[in-house]
Amino acid sequence: LPLLEAPRLEARYGACQALAALRGRAAPAVEPLQKCLTHEDLWLRIKAAEALSRIGKPALPAVPQLLTMLAK
């Protein structure tokens, strides 16, 4: 989880990849991943959204934010 706030984007990308691989076990990362959805880097936003989608039901609180982003 601390890597989601690392200064290097590559570390954040890797954290998102790892959390996506953990699927439901990454439920504690939902809030930090939601913060990544607002980052200026497009690829980080994409990787965070992918991780949230793989977490499944525990990530349902992120759905309104994701839908708003899609609508824009």
Side-chain angles (χ1 to χ4, degrees):
L1 291 178
L3 286 177
L4 288 175
E5 296 181 17
R8 295 197 56 187
L9 282 172
E10 293 83 1
R12 292 180 181 202
Y13 300 155
C16 288
Q17 284 289 116
L19 292 167
L22 289 174
R23 298 191 178 266
R25 292 176 292 172
V30 170
E31 284 187 41
L33 285 167
Q34 282 185 270
K35 289 181 186 176
C36 289
L37 292 175
T38 62
H39 195 274
E40 65 183 24
D41 184 72
L42 174 62
W43 192 241
L44 180 58
R45 294 193 310 263
I46 291 169
K47 299 309 285 177
E50 178 185 18
L52 286 165
S53 73
R54 293 196 181 188
I55 290 173
K57 193 172 184 175
L60 282 178
V63 171
Q65 183 179 6
L66 290 165
L67 289 175
T68 301
M69 292 173 69
L70 284 170
K72 289 181 181 180

